[in-house]
Amino acid sequence: MPNWSTYPVIVLLTSIVWLSVTFLTKPEKDKTLFDFYKQTQPGGPGWERIIVKARAAGTALVTTNQKWSVPAGILATLVGCVTIYGALFSTGYWIYGYYTKASILTLLTLIATVVLVKLWQRIKTRVF
């Protein structure tokens, strides 16, 4: 097998196994899902069916009105990458005397930093 095909084959085989296990095993009991939701309050659209099912069973699951922060967290991760790489490359450009590129990247890094701080303030939650 050529070297380039090793990773795609591993991904394919792994995907076949986890999809098979997912569809061939019994789902968790509703009580287990209800207990998990009560403890973690995961949020997101994927849990809506469980919340509706719990309401129908007379169980209250939602104990907080916090917004789901995963999309904002993903965006913060991407903006953080722009900030870090912008700082690294702009520093290199300043050192090697490419002042135009350095100035543009420094400005981009500063803007990304401000955006990151605002995102962080929005998604910051209290951890127990």
Side-chain angles (χ1 to χ4, degrees):
M1 179 179 331
N3 283 343
W4 64 266
S5 66
T6 304
Y7 186 71
V9 168
I10 290 171
V11 170
L12 176 68
L13 291 175
T14 304
S15 297
I16 289 170
V17 170
W18 75 259
L19 283 169
S20 299
V21 169
T22 298
F23 289 113
L24 295 175
T25 58
K26 288 188 335 184
E28 286 294 330
K29 296 177 188 135
D30 287 342
K31 183 183 178 337
T32 304
L33 294 173
F34 296 167
D35 291 342
F36 176 80
Y37 193 95
K38 278 183 192 176
Q39 286 182 343
T40 62
Q41 298 291 302
W47 285 95
E48 191 61 37
R49 184 177 61 86
I50 299 301
I51 294 170
V52 169
K53 199 181 261 192
R55 271 193 217 121
T59 305
L61 294 183
V62 181
T63 60
T64 180
N65 290 334
Q66 285 183 336
K67 291 176 65 177
W68 191 42
S69 64
V70 171
I74 292 170
L75 181 59
T77 300
L78 296 173
V79 172
C81 289
V82 169
T83 303
I84 295 298
Y85 282 109
L88 289 172
F89 283 107
S90 64
T91 300
Y93 285 145
W94 284 115
I95 290 170
Y96 287 108
Y98 299 114
Y99 299 121
T100 303
K101 289 180 181 180
S103 298
I104 293 169
L105 271 179
T106 300
L107 180 63
L108 176 69
T109 302
L110 292 173
I111 292 169
T113 302
V114 169
V115 170
L116 186 60
V117 167
K118 289 186 183 290
L119 280 170
W120 181 252
Q121 289 171 347
R122 196 169 89 193
I123 64 173
K124 191 169 38 172
T125 59
R126 185 173 169 209
V127 178
F128 297 97

